[in-house]
Amino acid sequence: MIDRIVGAVVFMISASAFWVARGYEAGFGDPLGPAVFPQMVAGAAAILSLGLILRPDPDPAAQSRPAMTRQIATVAVLAGYVLLLEPLGFPLSTTLGTGCLALLFGARPLKAGITGLAVGLSLFVIFDTVLGLPLPFAPALFG
């Protein structure tokens, strides 16, 4: 039953995201417009959620407490990432978010920090410099 409930919730969120994204506009850039990518993600999530609704696990096992704690912590890290993106800027918030996620998945602190730093800086360079998509660098520090 839990699979169907989760599937229904994900489907409703996906349908809402698809609906909201249709209004995205930009005066420049991609000829398809900025709505295409969020609509593609929302559409894929909606299709996958239908799988949970129509073909749930026949014998679901309850999550262990450590697994459930990691899942809740992962959602908290992702929510924190979204909240810190503008104040701290893309590179720092992405570094912190990636490092925390790496720790949750069992990485050692040094490797998690190095991975976070590599991901944060390389994604900033790719998006800002290579693709020309302006991202906030560090508004709280320099603004």
Side-chain angles (χ1 to χ4, degrees), residues 31-134:
L32 295 176
V36 173
F37 181 73
Q39 286 180 324
M40 286 177 15
V41 172
I47 291 168
L48 293 173
S49 70
L50 289 175
L52 286 173
I53 294 168
L54 300 174
R55 295 188 54 128
D57 188 357
D59 188 27
Q63 291 285 335
S64 66
R65 190 170 301 271
M68 185 66 74
T69 303
R70 276 194 308 275
Q71 290 172 358
I72 292 170
T74 299
V75 170
V77 167
L78 294 173
Y81 174 72
V82 169
L83 294 173
L84 294 175
L85 189 59
E86 280 194 46
L88 296 183
F90 184 85
L92 183 56
S93 60
T94 302
T95 297
L96 292 172
T98 304
C100 289
L101 289 175
L103 288 171
L104 285 172
F105 282 96
R108 293 192 176 115
L110 180 62
K111 288 185 178 182
I114 292 170
T115 300
L117 188 61
V119 169
L121 292 177
S122 62
L123 285 179
F124 182 77
V125 168
I126 289 169
F127 282 113
D128 196 63
T129 307
V130 177
L131 297 176
L133 300 171

